[in-house]
Amino acid sequence: MNRRDNGNTQRKDVGEMRRNVLRSNILVWTGILVSVATMLFSSWLSVLPLVLLALALSIMASRGQGINYRLLAFLLGLVAFLVAVFVFATIPPLYLSWIAFFGFLFVLSARNTKTLVVFIILLFVILPLLVAFRDYLTVSTYNIVRVGSPAELKTLFNNTGSVVLVGHAMADAIAHTQLSPNEMITEWEEVVINGTPYWIFAVTPLNTIAQNYVSKLILVDVQTGETKAIPVHMSVGSGLWLTNSIELRSFLLSSQPIGNTYPFIHGGKPYFAACVNRLANLGLSEYPGEVYVYDQDGNLRRSPQFSGDMSMPENYDWKYLDWYVGKWLYYLSSLSPVSHSFFSRGFLWIPASQYSQDLLNMTLLLPGRSGDTVRVYFGVSPNNPNSIVSIIIANNTGVYYYDVKTLGIYSPYYVQSLVQAKLPAISGGHLYSKYAQLVYSNGYLWVVPIYAQTDVVSLWGLALVNATSPSEMSIYQYSPSYGSYKDFLAMALSLGTVQAGGQICEAVTGNVTRVLQFVYKGDTYLVLEVNGKLLYATPDIGIQEFTRLLTVKTGDQVKLCVSDDRIVQVIKP
């Protein structure tokens, strides 16, 4: 009797264990299906597979005896920790589903050593492939870039009001003079406001836990250095505590990737914007979503990216575009129609595409025709990085590609290196060229500001370089006698690139107090005394320029370009 009872009990125990194992397997496979299903969406429901994974592990660890509640509590705590890390790192919860998915596969493979080894090998193979495939999948799925005619570029680059003369380092120093001892700068951006480019700085109190708001916006004109300090009291912005952070608040609302965030002013009112992007194809591809805009009181409105909304300077995420445009150029295999190839650089018997390019790590900002901020990218050939082969324009309505191979424009980095080689040494610091900008003025020119780095950063001068023939270069040194930086730029553009050899030129303005002429070693010299200083010229500056000087009389006002007391060009008369 006892044996029969024991046998029945054992059979019941075995049956119960099998049912528990079956329930455990059903739960594991259900978790896999739920994980894959939730990966089709970017929502906080993506956290559910992690909870299912914790439950499955606790059942499997109990060896068929039910749920191991201690282990379950520990694993749920781990899930909560992971979720918290992803929230504060603003990583989309969709990627938690990937963690859960691979976690399920690990649990299944952990039962067998060989299977576990195969899983680990596949993990190190599949993950890099997914990352590489993500780039190609994004640019081949979402047609963000349109192809335009290069003739459109002339009207875009003929606005010299976009040329940055006050660089970020200078603007930052200027902005810091507007701070109180209890304030700090937490965000900066270059944006176009009312058709004028500014450096804009967001300021918060040092103690953002107790004083959780943006206290000031500082605008610095990129050409004049003039500042506008605008007192505000914004409850949402950068550098703030927890939920007042614009990135965290936008992420909690959207559960999507947050890109560029920036302050701006529209209609005299301050705003903060956060660009939100969408995930698709199981999170492997990303495309532009919406811009979340918060006003001074924290009220929210949404605007689709590239919708043409001109109530904000940048209706797009330039950080995303920095990545996307680079990948778009890399995988480019044809322009008519636009197509992309995973092996655009060639592979074994597959030849390299003649269209594949590298993105130059330099962008320009221009005021758009409608007052928006236009961002400019440059593509270069892998075989000739010193020449620009494409220009990509991004504005509030879209991204546009221009094939400029026939224009023969040299790379701004190459031009800056040529300018740098011509700069003299200075005491107490050094000179450097930066922010090369393309302008169209009877041809394409690179305008290259030159800065002096001493105890402070200041504008030392400008270089004008023919964009299609860099040997035609002029370097002009700034002097306060020229007036504002803007006046100095206008003077330099009026002179152009006529100087040979990139010699440094200084403009001299004043009344002529004496005129002399003489011949020395067969050359005719003309000497003008201006502001008590003797300046000379010879006919080799050009017959037209020299003839203009011959008409100058005592008492006339002149404006000359001078290098080492030698007149190299006549600006006035």
Side-chain angles (χ1 to χ4, degrees):
M1 191 72 178
N2 290 334
R3 290 181 180 177
R4 190 178 302 151
D5 291 341
N6 290 336
N8 290 334
T9 301
Q10 290 177 357
R11 281 193 293 271
K12 288 181 181 179
D13 291 342
V14 171
E16 184 65 26
M17 290 179 63
R18 287 177 177 174
R19 284 191 291 273
N20 286 335
V21 171
L22 180 61
R23 283 196 292 268
S24 174
N25 288 334
I26 291 174
L27 185 59
V28 169
W29 285 106
T30 301
I32 291 176
L33 293 176
V34 171
S35 178
V36 173
T38 55
M39 289 170 74
L40 297 174
F41 307 96
S42 181
S43 71
W44 289 106
L45 291 177
S46 302
V47 175
L48 287 178
L50 272 181
V51 177
L52 284 173
L53 175 60
L55 185 60
L57 286 174
S58 63
I59 292 176
M60 295 184 69
S62 64
R63 298 180 181 178
Q65 299 299 319
I67 300 176
N68 188 326
Y69 289 100
R70 289 185 177 179
L71 180 60
L72 179 61
F74 170 78
L75 292 174
L76 290 178
L78 181 60
V79 168
F81 173 76
L82 281 175
V83 172
V85 168
F86 272 59
V87 166
F88 289 106
T90 60
I91 299 174
L94 179 61
Y95 295 133
L96 288 171
S97 291
W98 278 104
I99 293 177
F101 179 70
F102 284 108
F104 279 125
L105 295 181
F106 173 75
V107 169
L108 292 177
S109 62
R111 301 177 180 181
N112 183 282
T113 304
K114 292 182 179 179
T115 309
L116 181 61
V117 171
V118 171
F119 169 77
I120 294 174
I121 293 174
L122 289 177
L123 191 65
F124 282 95
V125 172
I126 290 175
L127 289 182
L129 286 177
L130 288 177
V131 172
F133 184 66
R134 168 181 179 262
D135 300 340
Y136 170 72
L137 184 65
T138 298
V139 300
S140 60
T141 304
Y142 305 106
N143 299 318
I144 299 174
V145 184
R146 308 167 214 172
V147 177
S149 170
E152 302 172 13
L153 296 174
K154 292 182 179 179
T155 57
L156 181 66
F157 290 113
N158 65 0
N159 181 7
T160 59
S162 63
V163 176
V164 173
L165 300 177
V166 178
H168 173 253
M170 287 180 63
D172 183 71
I174 294 171
H176 272 82
T177 64
Q178 303 293 318
L179 300 180
S180 72
N182 189 41
E183 291 179 324
M184 63 179 176
I185 291 173
T186 57
E187 184 82 51
W188 62 271
E189 184 90 356
E190 186 190 347
V191 295
V192 175
I193 300 175
N194 296 328
T196 302
Y198 289 95
W199 297 105
I200 185 168
F201 299 86
V203 178
T204 64
L206 285 175
N207 186 358
T208 53
I209 298 177
Q211 297 171 290
N212 204 18
Y213 57 89
V214 177
S215 60
K216 190 184 295 179
L217 294 179
I218 301 174
L219 302 180
V220 180
D221 192 299
V222 303
Q223 287 203 334
T224 65
E226 296 176 354
T227 61
K228 299 178 183 178
I230 304 172
V232 297
H233 196 288
M234 300 188 68
S235 59
V236 178
S238 293
L240 300 184
W241 178 249
L242 292 178
T243 56
N244 277 8
S245 164
I246 185 173
E247 289 191 24
L248 184 58
R249 181 175 288 199
S250 303
F251 175 69
L252 291 173
L253 288 173
S254 65
S255 70
Q256 302 286 352
I258 308 299
N260 185 39
T261 62
Y262 63 94
F264 68 95
I265 294 173
H266 179 70
K269 297 181 179 179
Y271 297 92
F272 245 99
C275 297
V276 177
N277 299 312
R278 301 293 178 188
L279 294 175
N281 298 323
L282 301 179
L284 292 179
S285 60
E286 186 177 331
Y287 64 98
E290 296 177 306
V291 182
Y292 282 43
V293 182
Y294 298 86
D295 65 13
Q296 186 162 257
D297 298 321
N299 299 316
L300 171 67
R301 70 176 175 89
R302 298 176 178 88
S303 175
Q305 292 188 44
F306 299 116
S307 63
D309 187 346
M310 296 303 168
S311 65
M312 63 189 79
E314 294 176 350
N315 188 28
Y316 54 86
D317 179 7
W318 65 261
K319 289 184 178 179
Y320 169 80
L321 287 183
D322 286 354
W323 170 80
Y324 178 87
V325 171
K327 298 304 178 184
W328 194 91
L329 290 175
Y330 182 89
Y331 290 110
L332 188 60
S333 60
S334 176
L335 280 175
S336 301
V338 174
S339 62
H340 299 85
S341 168
F342 195 80
F343 299 107
S344 56
R345 293 292 169 88
F347 179 73
L348 295 179
W349 62 88
I350 302 176
S353 166
Q354 61 175 320
Y355 296 98
S356 179
Q357 303 165 31
D358 291 321
L359 178 65
L360 199 66
N361 186 25
M362 176 183 286
T363 58
L364 304 182
L365 289 177
L366 307 174
R369 298 185 186 94
S370 303
D372 55 329
T373 304
V374 177
R375 190 167 292 269
V376 183
Y377 297 91
F378 300 101
V380 296
S381 169
N383 300 321
N384 183 18
N386 290 334
S387 180
I388 298 295
V389 296
S390 67
I391 294 178
I392 300 95
I393 305 294
N395 60 28
N396 281 10
T397 64
V399 185
Y400 306 88
Y401 174 92
Y402 300 93
D403 188 340
V404 296
K405 295 186 186 73
T406 57
L407 297 183
I409 298 175
Y410 279 79
S411 158
Y413 280 135
Y414 175 72
V415 168
Q416 283 184 181
S417 66
L418 294 180
V419 173
Q420 191 70 40
K422 300 289 185 181
L423 298 181
I426 61 172
S427 59
H430 65 278
L431 300 179
Y432 65 92
S433 57
K434 196 175 182 182
Y435 299 115
Q437 290 147 98
L438 192 65
V439 299
Y440 184 84
S441 177
N442 297 320
Y444 286 100
L445 298 174
W446 284 110
V447 180
V448 186
I450 301 167
Y451 299 96
Q453 173 70 66
T454 53
D455 293 336
V456 296
V457 179
S458 59
L459 181 68
W460 182 88
L462 275 177
L464 294 186
V465 184
N466 188 326
T468 59
S469 180
S471 60
E472 298 179 22
M473 178 195 306
S474 297
I475 299 176
Y476 303 100
Q477 186 175 355
Y478 173 72
S479 170
S481 62
Y482 302 159
S484 68
Y485 292 154
K486 205 168 186 178
D487 295 334
F488 173 57
L489 173 64
M491 181 275 296
L493 288 172
S494 69
L495 294 176
T497 60
V498 295
Q499 297 179 56
Q503 58 184 317
I504 297 170
C505 170
E506 180 183 356
V508 173
T509 302
N511 292 322
V512 177
T513 55
R514 198 164 33 146
V515 178
L516 302 171
Q517 289 187 44
F518 61 90
V519 177
Y520 177 68
K521 292 185 179 180
D523 291 328
T524 301
Y525 281 73
L526 176 65
V527 179
L528 304 180
E529 185 178 36
V530 182
N531 300 332
K533 189 174 183 179
L534 295 177
L535 308 173
Y536 73 94
T538 54
D540 60 2
I541 66 171
I543 191 65
Q544 291 183 348
E545 295 288 292
F546 193 73
T547 303
R548 291 175 67 190
L549 283 178
L550 291 175
T551 64
V552 173
K553 301 186 181 93
T554 303
D556 289 348
Q557 187 181 55
V558 294
K559 193 170 187 178
L560 309 170
C561 194
V562 178
S563 177
D564 293 331
D565 296 335
R566 182 177 183 271
I567 301 171
V568 296
Q569 190 175 359
V570 182
I571 306 171
K572 181 183 177 182

